[in-house]
């Protein structure tokens, strides 16, 4: 079967170009920066967690896998219960600010290494809160542009997540050699600093 559809070439640097386009748009520039800060903080906590559990609590791969299963249950709880409540009770901007501040506090609680149960509690509530924040931010992205531009903006947001996780790996390689607590502090601060930016976002509501 011969298709008449033209196949476009693969552009390996398209993600970077899309990020530049989204940053150039005054409607999405501040939102993308806040989104990047949030995911930079989230990725720093997420990638550092296995190292923290292995070093401070002698966790092996099996127990680390179980705690990431708790992450999954936290995501499910966030989607089924917390997210509908927050989106119904608050505006998108308010959801972003509340969830960002709450997530920063929850993630920062991981600095307490006196009890491993703190890590388990954080592993449940952090992803539940992050799911609310992620959904509200993606909706803000969608509402900030026209329907024809939404694909480009969503692609730029996903590309920003990839860049954030790339920087997480580079940063962790340096910070963990100093102290495993420092990445948690960096994570909490990055997420917290995104909150006032989310508060300033202006866009039409659904």
């Amino acid at each position: 079967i011969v298709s008449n559809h033209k196949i476009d070439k693969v552009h390996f640097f398209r993600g970077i170009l899309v990020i530049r386009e989204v940053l150039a748009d005054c409607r999405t520039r501040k939102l993308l920066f806040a989104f990047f800060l949030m995911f930079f903080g989230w990725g720093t906590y997420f990638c550092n967690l296995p190292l923290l559990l292995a070093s401070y609590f002698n966790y092996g791969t099996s127990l680390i896998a179980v705690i990431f299963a708790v992450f999954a249950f936290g995501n499910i709880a966030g989607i089924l219960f917390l997210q509908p409540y927050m989106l119904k009770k608050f505006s998108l901007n308010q959801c972003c600010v509340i969830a960002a501040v709450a997530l920063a506090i929850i993630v920062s609680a991981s600095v307490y290494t006196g009890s491993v149960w703190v890590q388990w509690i954080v592993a449940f509530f952090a992803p539940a809160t992050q799911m609310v924040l992620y959904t509200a931010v993606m909706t803000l992205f969608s509402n900030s542009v026209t329907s024809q531009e939404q694909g480009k903006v969503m692609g730029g947001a996903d590309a920003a997540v990839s860049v954030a996780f790339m920087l997480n790996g580079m940063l962790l390689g340096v910070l963990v050699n100093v102290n495993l607590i420092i990445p948690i502090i960096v994570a909490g601060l990055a997420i917290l600093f995104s909150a006032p930016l989310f508060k300033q976002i202006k866009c039409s509501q659904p």
Side-chain angles (χ1 to χ4, degrees), residues 34 37-43 45 99-105 107 133 186-196 198:
L37 270 180
M38 182 271 287
F39 251 103
F40 176 78
W42 176 248
Y45 161 72
V101 172
L103 182 59
I105 294 172
V107 166
L133 180 53
V186 171
L189 289 175
I191 297 170
L192 185 62
F193 288 158
S194 71
F198 286 128

Side-chain angles (χ1 to χ4, degrees), residues 19 32 35 134 138 153-163:
I19 292 176
L32 184 66
F35 185 68
Y134 176 81
M138 295 307 286
V153 170
M154 297 300 181
D158 287 338
V161 172
S162 300
V163 173

Side-chain angles (χ1 to χ4, degrees), residues 74-168:
N75 277 323
I76 294 171
I79 294 171
L80 293 179
F81 304 108
L82 187 58
Q83 179 178 293
Y85 171 80
M86 292 290 293
L87 293 177
K88 183 178 180 179
K89 190 169 182 64
F90 302 101
S91 69
L92 291 173
N93 294 73
Q94 289 173 330
C95 279
C96 289
V97 173
I98 294 171
V101 172
L103 182 59
I105 294 172
I106 295 170
V107 166
S108 298
S110 292
V111 299
Y112 179 73
T113 56
S115 173
V116 71
W117 291 110
V118 172
Q119 309 303 323
W120 286 86
I121 293 171
V122 171
F124 178 82
F125 286 101
T129 308
Q130 194 268 345
M131 186 54 63
V132 175
L133 180 53
Y134 176 81
T135 303
V137 173
M138 295 307 286
T139 307
L140 280 175
F141 271 120
S142 178
N143 292 345
S144 297
V145 296
T146 64
S147 58
Q148 292 78 16
E149 298 172 299
Q150 288 176 355
K152 180 185 72 175
V153 170
M154 297 300 181
D158 287 338
V161 172
S162 300
V163 173
F165 272 94
M166 178 189 70
L167 293 177
N168 290 148

Side-chain angles (χ1 to χ4, degrees), residues 11-12 28 42 45 56 62 68 87 94 104 111 159-160 165-166 169 176 184 187 204-205:
H11 297 280
F12 292 101
T28 54
W42 176 248
Y45 161 72
Y56 280 87
S62 297
F68 277 111
L87 293 177
Q94 289 173 330
V111 299
F165 272 94
M166 178 189 70
V176 296
I184 300 175
S204 59
Q205 296 294 315

